[in-house]
Tab-separated table of all heavy atoms in Angstrom:
chain	number	residue	atom	x	y	z
A	1	ALA	N	172.820	-96.615	-33.516
A	1	ALA	CA	171.644	-97.257	-32.930
A	1	ALA	C	171.002	-98.233	-33.913
A	1	ALA	O	170.641	-99.360	-33.546
A	1	ALA	CB	170.633	-96.198	-32.511
A	2	LEU	N	170.876	-97.830	-35.169
A	2	LEU	CA	170.206	-98.648	-36.179
A	2	LEU	C	170.910	-99.981	-36.393
A	2	LEU	O	170.272	-101.044	-36.455
A	2	LEU	CB	170.129	-97.877	-37.500
A	2	LEU	CG	169.475	-98.585	-38.685
A	2	LEU	CD1	167.979	-98.749	-38.440
A	2	LEU	CD2	169.717	-97.795	-39.971
A	3	LEU	N	172.237	-99.935	-36.501
A	3	LEU	CA	172.987	-101.148	-36.829
A	3	LEU	C	173.143	-102.089	-35.642
A	3	LEU	O	173.680	-103.176	-35.778
A	3	LEU	CB	174.358	-100.781	-37.406
A	3	LEU	CG	174.318	-100.013	-38.726
A	3	LEU	CD1	175.720	-99.851	-39.290
A	3	LEU	CD2	173.420	-100.694	-39.745
A	4	ARG	N	172.673	-101.667	-34.460
A	4	ARG	CA	172.627	-102.590	-33.336
A	4	ARG	C	171.529	-103.647	-33.536
A	4	ARG	O	171.613	-104.743	-33.000
A	4	ARG	CB	172.310	-101.816	-32.046
A	4	ARG	CG	173.525	-101.585	-31.166
A	4	ARG	CD	173.131	-101.018	-29.823
A	4	ARG	NE	173.965	-99.868	-29.541
A	4	ARG	CZ	173.552	-98.752	-28.987
A	4	ARG	NH1	172.286	-98.598	-28.671
A	4	ARG	NH2	174.383	-97.768	-28.769
A	5	PHE	N	170.508	-103.273	-34.292
A	5	PHE	CA	169.324	-104.129	-34.413
A	5	PHE	C	169.083	-104.623	-35.835
A	5	PHE	O	168.154	-105.394	-36.077
A	5	PHE	CB	168.087	-103.367	-33.920
A	5	PHE	CG	168.238	-102.791	-32.542
A	5	PHE	CD1	168.466	-101.439	-32.353
A	5	PHE	CD2	168.185	-103.617	-31.418
A	5	PHE	CE1	168.616	-100.903	-31.076
A	5	PHE	CE2	168.335	-103.086	-30.156
A	5	PHE	CZ	168.558	-101.744	-29.970
A	6	THR	N	169.879	-104.179	-36.792
A	6	THR	CA	169.707	-104.611	-38.175
A	6	THR	C	171.041	-105.105	-38.726
A	6	THR	O	172.093	-104.889	-38.121
A	6	THR	CB	169.205	-103.461	-39.068
A	6	THR	OG1	170.230	-102.450	-39.150
A	6	THR	CG2	167.933	-102.836	-38.515
A	7	GLU	N	170.989	-105.729	-39.871
A	7	GLU	CA	172.220	-106.092	-40.563
A	7	GLU	C	172.845	-104.846	-41.179
A	7	GLU	O	172.132	-103.895	-41.554
A	7	GLU	CB	171.933	-107.122	-41.652
A	7	GLU	CG	171.454	-108.472	-41.137
A	7	GLU	CD	172.517	-109.226	-40.361
A	7	GLU	OE1	173.702	-108.853	-40.438
A	7	GLU	OE2	172.153	-110.205	-39.671
A	8	LYS	N	174.161	-104.847	-41.295
A	8	LYS	CA	174.847	-103.681	-41.856
A	8	LYS	C	174.451	-103.449	-43.315
A	8	LYS	O	174.443	-102.307	-43.787
A	8	LYS	CB	176.359	-103.850	-41.716
A	8	LYS	CG	176.815	-103.882	-40.263
A	8	LYS	CD	178.299	-104.189	-40.120
A	8	LYS	CE	178.683	-104.291	-38.645
A	8	LYS	NZ	180.103	-104.606	-38.441
A	9	ARG	N	174.116	-104.513	-44.018
A	9	ARG	CA	173.695	-104.364	-45.408
A	9	ARG	C	172.468	-103.464	-45.516
A	9	ARG	O	172.322	-102.710	-46.489
A	9	ARG	CB	173.401	-105.740	-46.021
A	9	ARG	CG	173.081	-105.688	-47.505
A	9	ARG	CD	172.800	-107.060	-48.076
A	9	ARG	NE	171.506	-107.582	-47.640
A	9	ARG	CZ	170.953	-108.678	-48.145
A	9	ARG	NH1	171.581	-109.378	-49.082
A	9	ARG	NH2	169.781	-109.102	-47.700
A	10	PHE	N	171.574	-103.531	-44.542
A	10	PHE	CA	170.376	-102.688	-44.559
A	10	PHE	C	170.751	-101.212	-44.551
A	10	PHE	O	170.141	-100.394	-45.253
A	10	PHE	CB	169.487	-103.007	-43.350
A	10	PHE	CG	168.285	-102.102	-43.229
A	10	PHE	CD1	167.184	-102.277	-44.046
A	10	PHE	CD2	168.272	-101.065	-42.304
A	10	PHE	CE1	166.082	-101.436	-43.940
A	10	PHE	CE2	167.187	-100.217	-42.188
A	10	PHE	CZ	166.082	-100.404	-43.011
A	11	GLY	N	171.756	-100.853	-43.766
A	11	GLY	CA	172.189	-99.455	-43.722
A	11	GLY	C	172.720	-98.976	-45.059
A	11	GLY	O	172.452	-97.850	-45.482
A	12	VAL	N	173.498	-99.829	-45.738
A	12	VAL	CA	174.039	-99.466	-47.046
A	12	VAL	C	172.918	-99.283	-48.066
A	12	VAL	O	172.910	-98.317	-48.846
A	12	VAL	CB	175.042	-100.539	-47.527
A	12	VAL	CG1	175.421	-100.320	-48.971
A	12	VAL	CG2	176.293	-100.520	-46.663
A	13	LEU	N	171.966	-100.202	-48.081
A	13	LEU	CA	170.857	-100.102	-49.032
A	13	LEU	C	170.006	-98.869	-48.761
A	13	LEU	O	169.637	-98.129	-49.679
A	13	LEU	CB	169.997	-101.364	-48.953
A	13	LEU	CG	170.643	-102.654	-49.459
A	13	LEU	CD1	169.773	-103.857	-49.108
A	13	LEU	CD2	170.851	-102.579	-50.971
A	14	LEU	N	169.674	-98.638	-47.490
A	14	LEU	CA	168.842	-97.494	-47.119
A	14	LEU	C	169.492	-96.186	-47.531
A	14	LEU	O	168.859	-95.322	-48.157
A	14	LEU	CB	168.594	-97.510	-45.611
A	14	LEU	CG	167.786	-96.340	-45.042
A	14	LEU	CD1	166.356	-96.379	-45.562
A	14	LEU	CD2	167.805	-96.386	-43.505
A	15	GLY	N	170.761	-96.012	-47.193
A	15	GLY	CA	171.456	-94.768	-47.507
A	15	GLY	C	171.581	-94.523	-49.001
A	15	GLY	O	171.395	-93.393	-49.479
A	16	THR	N	171.884	-95.561	-49.762
A	16	THR	CA	172.058	-95.414	-51.209
A	16	THR	C	170.754	-95.018	-51.885
A	16	THR	O	170.719	-94.114	-52.732
A	16	THR	CB	172.578	-96.726	-51.823
A	16	THR	OG1	173.818	-97.074	-51.202
A	16	THR	CG2	172.783	-96.585	-53.325
A	17	ILE	N	169.666	-95.666	-51.513
A	17	ILE	CA	168.374	-95.393	-52.144
A	17	ILE	C	167.880	-93.986	-51.830
A	17	ILE	O	167.439	-93.243	-52.721
A	17	ILE	CB	167.341	-96.449	-51.712
A	17	ILE	CG1	167.717	-97.818	-52.300
A	17	ILE	CG2	165.934	-96.052	-52.162
A	17	ILE	CD1	166.923	-98.974	-51.732
A	18	VAL	N	167.963	-93.589	-50.563
A	18	VAL	CA	167.468	-92.259	-50.197
A	18	VAL	C	168.331	-91.170	-50.823
A	18	VAL	O	167.813	-90.133	-51.257
A	18	VAL	CB	167.409	-92.111	-48.659
A	18	VAL	CG1	167.023	-90.682	-48.273
A	18	VAL	CG2	166.413	-93.096	-48.072
A	19	TRP	N	169.646	-91.382	-50.896
A	19	TRP	CA	170.508	-90.396	-51.550
A	19	TRP	C	170.062	-90.163	-52.993
A	19	TRP	O	169.957	-89.025	-53.450
A	19	TRP	CB	171.962	-90.871	-51.538
A	19	TRP	CG	172.910	-89.888	-52.163
A	19	TRP	CD1	173.592	-88.888	-51.525
A	19	TRP	CD2	173.257	-89.786	-53.556
A	19	TRP	NE1	174.339	-88.170	-52.420
A	19	TRP	CE2	174.150	-88.688	-53.680
A	19	TRP	CE3	172.895	-90.482	-54.692
A	19	TRP	CZ2	174.690	-88.309	-54.908
A	19	TRP	CZ3	173.431	-90.099	-55.915
A	19	TRP	CH2	174.318	-89.022	-56.025
A	20	ALA	N	169.802	-91.241	-53.719
A	20	ALA	CA	169.408	-91.119	-55.117
A	20	ALA	C	168.075	-90.400	-55.262
A	20	ALA	O	167.899	-89.552	-56.145
A	20	ALA	CB	169.340	-92.511	-55.753
A	21	VAL	N	167.115	-90.721	-54.398
A	21	VAL	CA	165.801	-90.073	-54.454
A	21	VAL	C	165.924	-88.572	-54.232
A	21	VAL	O	165.325	-87.755	-54.949
A	21	VAL	CB	164.850	-90.715	-53.425
A	21	VAL	CG1	163.569	-89.889	-53.290
A	21	VAL	CG2	164.514	-92.144	-53.822
A	22	CYS	N	166.719	-88.190	-53.227
A	22	CYS	CA	166.899	-86.759	-52.936
A	22	CYS	C	167.677	-86.040	-54.028
A	22	CYS	O	167.564	-84.818	-54.168
A	22	CYS	CB	167.617	-86.582	-51.594
A	22	CYS	SG	166.632	-87.045	-50.159
A	23	GLN	N	168.469	-86.777	-54.799
A	23	GLN	CA	169.219	-86.180	-55.902
A	23	GLN	C	168.299	-85.863	-57.078
A	23	GLN	O	168.477	-84.864	-57.767
A	23	GLN	CB	170.320	-87.145	-56.354
A	23	GLN	CG	171.292	-86.589	-57.370
A	23	GLN	CD	172.324	-85.676	-56.743
A	23	GLN	OE1	172.327	-85.475	-55.530
A	23	GLN	NE2	173.198	-85.115	-57.544
A	24	VAL	N	167.304	-86.707	-57.284
A	24	VAL	CA	166.460	-86.596	-58.468
A	24	VAL	C	165.303	-85.614	-58.284
A	24	VAL	O	165.022	-84.790	-59.164
A	24	VAL	CB	165.904	-87.989	-58.852
A	24	VAL	CG1	164.826	-87.867	-59.918
A	24	VAL	CG2	167.024	-88.882	-59.341
A	25	ILE	N	164.617	-85.704	-57.145
A	25	ILE	CA	163.332	-85.003	-56.995
A	25	ILE	C	163.421	-83.494	-57.222
A	25	ILE	O	162.620	-82.931	-57.990
A	25	ILE	CB	162.725	-85.316	-55.617
A	25	ILE	CG1	162.241	-86.772	-55.594
A	25	ILE	CG2	161.558	-84.378	-55.311
A	25	ILE	CD1	161.659	-87.211	-54.270
A	26	PRO	N	164.363	-82.754	-56.591
A	26	PRO	CA	164.365	-81.296	-56.812
A	26	PRO	C	164.553	-80.910	-58.272
A	26	PRO	O	163.878	-79.996	-58.772
A	26	PRO	CB	165.542	-80.815	-55.952
A	26	PRO	CG	165.713	-81.865	-54.920
A	26	PRO	CD	165.384	-83.154	-55.608
A	27	VAL	N	165.460	-81.597	-58.980
A	27	VAL	CA	165.727	-81.250	-60.377
A	27	VAL	C	164.505	-81.547	-61.244
A	27	VAL	O	164.082	-80.727	-62.066
A	27	VAL	CB	166.962	-82.008	-60.899
A	27	VAL	CG1	167.118	-81.772	-62.401
A	27	VAL	CG2	168.214	-81.571	-60.152
A	28	VAL	N	163.916	-82.725	-61.057
A	28	VAL	CA	162.755	-83.103	-61.870
A	28	VAL	C	161.584	-82.164	-61.621
A	28	VAL	O	160.908	-81.716	-62.562
A	28	VAL	CB	162.358	-84.567	-61.584
A	28	VAL	CG1	161.017	-84.898	-62.240
A	28	VAL	CG2	163.434	-85.515	-62.084
């Protein structure tokens, strides 16, 4: 649904950033 209305690059950026945030927060 998301990529119907956005550029595919947005999906790559969104997924990469959120993955990193979720990796860091619990440990810190």
